[in-house]
Amino acid sequence: MLRSLVAASLSWRLLVIALALAVAGLGTWAFMTLPVDAYPNIAQTQVKVILKAPGMTPEEVESRVITPIEMEMLGIPDQAILRSTAKYAIADITIDFVDGTDIYWARQQVAERLSNVMPDLPASISGGLAPISTPLSDIYMFTIEGPLSLQEKRELLDWTIRPALRTVPGVADVNALGGFVRTFEVRPDPVALAAAGLSIADIQAAIESGNRNDGAGRLKSGEEALIVRAVGAIRSVEDLQQLVIVSRGDRIVRLGELATVGIGSLTRYGAVSKNGQAEAVQGLVIALRGADARQVVDGVRARLAEIESTLPAGTHVDVFYDRSDLIARAVGTVEKALLEAAVLVVVLLILFLGDWRAAAIVAATLPMAALITFLFMQGMGLSANLMSLGGLAIAIGLLVDGSIVVVENIVERLGRAHEEGTPRLNLVYQAASEVIVPVSAGIAIIALVFLPLLSLQGLEGKLFAPVALTIVFALAGSLLLALTLVPVLASFGLKSGHHGEPWLMRQLGPRYWGLLDGAFARKRVVYGLSAAGLVIAGIAYGAVGKTFMPTMDEGSIIVQLTKLPSIDLDQSVKGDMAHGCAARADARSGSAGRDRARRIGRNRPRSDEPQ
């Protein structure tokens, strides 16, 4: 079958070249549209439920919120792990599913179970499913800078910037951290309430019923009908002060007579500090699971540029973390290695083959095999990342093995063309056919060496399977090219006649034969040195340190400090200022407060978590 493939390629040479150009075009398109990220997606199918439980201690959250939900979630099909965390006023429940489970199906199952148990929870519980994201979804972080107060910056982020960024394709959510969330505060006067014969419940009921607009029918005006509205929604402190609590005869009791009304903020459970100088308001963009991080970052940048002109005077967005920097460093490292390896391979081909035409034909398989690999990656849904491109870099030297053997044999046969008197195409076919079996077997053996990586499970499999797949794809592409495109190009580009031995081989050949003869003459010495080398290698392997992942230095510095669980938020922030630590203070009862370096932010903040 392989010989038939070579024969068909040489019979339809122009068609093979046309197909090669088409594959090159499709491969370029695949490369341009491949999702790009720093690392492959290693997260399991995961659904998080985050609920707010105002005023509840971790023990109450565990007993009154988490336990009923966990009992309801038990038994969901394909469920792998169910775990939860109880914090002050927060319930965090995580459900992991087996690999391959559809995320939307999993969320539907969790949502159905959650809706069954929510009526049985305390009335103050609120929240729901977290965005469809992974632990590596934090792709863009920024602060709001300018003359505004922390409360005004938070309002700007909540009501202007966040809604605009959530419309960017691929954005799962935008978290708002730090600052003060504006509220109307009502502080009842117990003496005035007792004198009026009212309670706090009466004030609460009056505010809830009075904070609304109502319809009052239609009013005819000529040929038109005007809608009459009674406006009662609270817009300012004055509106709240004038709210009627009770009417007794000709006396009206208003809220301003019973309580002190003013502007305040929600209770804060965390804060953001910047450069150890002052508090700040931070926005954190979370990418959708499976989204192209590079495209999402580009979309966020473009949207921020659009709304920049609408921000108040002197106010701007200061970006301190951009995933595209990490992507550029990670992918750039691999791209540099690919380019250097390709140049080195071409130089060595010219030196060892001694024929620039033959070297050019062999070198052409490098970009073609890479483009075929990108096509396979596109079809398999793989992203271009440090691991997948790293596999291609590993295979770069292996991609030319088959083509070198085919071209070298064709050169040898064409050198004796005047002696054999066989037509040129027949010589090319015979030369390629002679080495089909060893070339195919050699590439197949190399591919089999990497296939065990595909048997890895869990985190290891998600990290290293892309490496094995890209190597196998590249080797398969190189074999296909060695049996089709290389013979066709050789039939057009190589000249008949004796080429002579390259200068480098003339220098190395005699030395190699002398070394080989000496080895056969001293077999015991060779065996002894081999055994000693094996022992030394075993000792060295045991002494060398081992790690799961190689060290990657992309220039980001992470500082993490652990504080006492009982630390007060104000004291935590003051400590950051005193020590010049650019961090986000996170102090909650039941969990250790943390300071994270400004360049990294939180691990997985959520927009429905009170800040």
Side-chain angles (χ1 to χ4, degrees):
M1 185 180 70
L2 296 179
R3 288 185 173 84
S4 300
L5 180 61
V6 175
S9 300
L10 292 173
S11 299
W12 303 90
R13 292 186 292 174
L14 295 180
L15 178 60
V16 169
I17 293 177
L19 290 176
L21 293 175
V23 169
L26 291 174
T28 304
W29 166 82
F31 174 73
M32 299 299 295
T33 57
L34 269 178
V36 180
D37 208 338
Y39 296 102
N41 182 16
I42 60 176
Q44 286 182 295
T45 301
Q46 185 181 91
V47 180
K48 289 183 70 71
V49 179
I50 299 180
L51 301 175
K52 292 184 286 186
M56 290 190 183
T57 64
E59 292 78 9
E60 292 175 318
V61 170
E62 177 70 29
S63 61
R64 302 183 62 187
V65 180
I66 290 181
T67 298
I69 294 178
E70 286 183 338
M71 297 297 292
E72 183 68 23
M73 295 298 171
L74 293 175
I76 296 180
D78 295 332
Q79 182 183 123
I81 300 174
L82 173 62
R83 61 184 186 274
S84 59
T85 302
K87 301 179 181 180
Y88 176 71
I90 291 292
D92 186 341
I93 303 165
T94 303
I95 303 147
D96 290 343
F97 291 83
V98 298
D99 290 336
T101 305
D102 181 71
I103 181 64
Y104 295 99
W105 178 87
R107 289 174 66 87
Q108 179 184 0
Q109 300 301 311
V110 174
E112 291 177 355
R113 303 267 183 133
L114 185 62
S115 63
N116 293 337
V117 74
M118 283 296 286
D120 301 329
L121 301 180
S124 60
I125 303 300
S126 62
L129 301 184
I132 307 175
S133 59
T134 70
L136 299 178
S137 290
D138 300 348
I139 62 170
Y140 206 79
M141 303 180 191
F142 58 88
T143 56
I144 309 298
E145 303 297 329
L148 303 180
S149 66
L150 289 175
Q151 188 176 95
E152 292 170 332
K153 290 179 181 179
R154 181 61 183 259
E155 288 184 359
L156 179 65
L157 179 58
D158 284 337
W159 300 103
T160 301
I161 299 177
R162 183 170 181 260
L165 294 183
R166 292 188 70 180
T167 62
V168 176
V171 172
D173 201 358
V174 179
N175 287 353
L177 308 174
F180 297 90
V181 179
R182 187 170 69 95
T183 60
F184 291 112
E185 287 190 352
V186 178
R187 299 183 180 89
D189 184 353
V191 177
L193 283 177
L198 299 174
S199 64
I200 294 178
D202 296 327
I203 294 180
Q204 181 180 355
I207 293 175
E208 291 177 351
S209 61
N211 184 27
R212 66 177 186 176
N213 298 329
D214 225 335
R218 296 172 180 267
L219 178 66
K220 290 185 178 181
S221 176
E223 296 181 355
E224 297 181 350
L226 304 178
I227 299 176
V228 180
R229 298 284 293 170
V231 179
I234 298 171
R235 298 181 178 179
S236 64
V237 173
E238 290 72 20
D239 293 341
L240 197 56
Q241 289 174 336
Q242 296 301 317
L243 184 67
V244 176
I245 302 301
V246 66
S247 176
R248 293 171 178 169
D250 58 351
R251 184 172 184 273
I252 298 177
V253 180
R254 301 182 184 277
L255 181 60
E257 303 172 12
L258 303 175
T260 301
V261 181
I263 298 295
S265 63
L266 290 178
T267 301
R268 299 204 304 167
Y269 299 96
V272 176
S273 64
K274 179 179 178 181
N275 294 333
Q277 299 173 357
E279 287 194 48
V281 174
Q282 174 187 341
L284 192 155
V285 180
I286 300 176
L288 192 67
R289 178 189 178 95
D292 187 341
R294 184 176 60 178
Q295 291 184 2
V296 176
V297 169
D298 291 342
V300 170
R301 285 177 180 168
R303 189 57 50 85
L304 284 176
E306 292 176 4
I307 65 178
E308 189 80 26
S309 59
T310 65
L311 300 180
T315 304
H316 66 279
V317 173
D318 180 21
V319 179
F320 65 86
Y321 179 78
D322 188 335
R323 174 66 68 79
S324 61
D325 294 336
L326 174 62
I327 295 172
R329 290 177 182 272
V331 177
T333 300
V334 180
E335 289 178 347
K336 180 182 178 182
L338 282 172
L339 180 61
E340 292 175 349
V343 172
L344 183 61
V345 167
V346 171
V347 171
L348 291 177
L349 286 174
I350 295 176
L351 291 176
F352 280 93
L353 292 179
D355 186 346
W356 69 268
R357 293 174 181 268
I361 292 173
V362 174
T365 61
L366 286 175
M368 286 297 300
L371 293 175
I372 292 175
T373 304
F374 295 140
L375 272 177
F376 279 116
M377 291 172 63
Q378 185 75 259
M380 294 289 293
L382 299 178
S383 64
N385 52 68
L386 185 66
M387 304 304 289
S388 59
L389 294 182
L392 187 58
I394 292 173
I396 196 73
L398 307 174
L399 301 182
V400 296
D401 287 354
S403 300
I404 288 176
V405 174
V406 172
V407 169
E408 182 68 18
N409 202 43
I410 292 175
V411 169
E412 181 68 20
R413 292 299 297 269
L414 290 178
R416 303 196 307 267
H418 64 284
E419 301 174 2
E420 299 183 7
T422 307
R424 180 183 179 85
L425 280 181
N426 286 351
L427 285 176
V428 173
Y429 168 72
Q430 293 173 7
S433 299
E434 289 175 356
V435 295
I436 279 180
V437 174
V439 165
S440 303
I443 293 179
I445 291 172
I446 296 173
L448 288 174
V449 171
F450 294 96
L451 287 182
L453 290 177
L454 299 178
S455 64
L456 297 176
Q457 301 296 319
L459 177 62
E460 298 88 347
K462 293 176 182 178
L463 275 175
F464 295 107
V467 177
L469 287 174
T470 51
I471 290 176
V472 172
F473 294 157
L475 291 175
S478 69
L479 177 59
L480 180 63
L481 292 171
L483 300 181
T484 56
L485 183 61
V486 169
V488 171
L489 294 179
S491 67
F492 282 116
L494 295 180
K495 293 181 178 181
S496 301
H498 183 67
H499 291 269
E501 193 173 17
W503 175 86
L504 184 61
M505 295 304 299
R506 291 199 302 269
Q507 301 300 318
L508 295 179
R511 292 173 174 82
Y512 169 72
W513 289 113
L515 182 63
L516 186 61
D517 292 339
F520 276 107
R522 302 172 179 84
K523 294 181 181 180
R524 293 184 179 181
V525 176
V526 173
Y527 293 150
L529 291 176
S530 300
L534 183 61
V535 172
I536 294 173
I539 296 174
Y541 176 77
V544 171
K546 300 174 180 63
T547 182
F548 180 68
M549 283 289 292
T551 301
M552 179 181 177
D553 181 11
E554 89 290 349
S556 295
I557 300 174
I558 302 175
V559 178
Q560 180 170 335
L561 306 176
T562 302
K563 298 181 179 179
L564 292 174
S566 58
I567 189 171
D568 179 68
L569 177 60
D570 293 336
Q571 293 300 319
S572 181
V573 174
K574 289 179 181 178
D576 296 336
M577 305 303 177
H579 293 86
C581 178
R584 173 184 179 273
D586 183 5
R588 290 192 179 91
S589 299
S591 64
R594 297 178 179 85
D595 287 344
R596 292 288 178 95
R598 173 178 176 267
R599 293 201 58 179
I600 204 65
R602 284 191 65 194
N603 182 27
R604 284 191 76 182
R606 298 294 175 186
S607 59
D608 48 3
E609 189 172 334
Q611 301 295 333

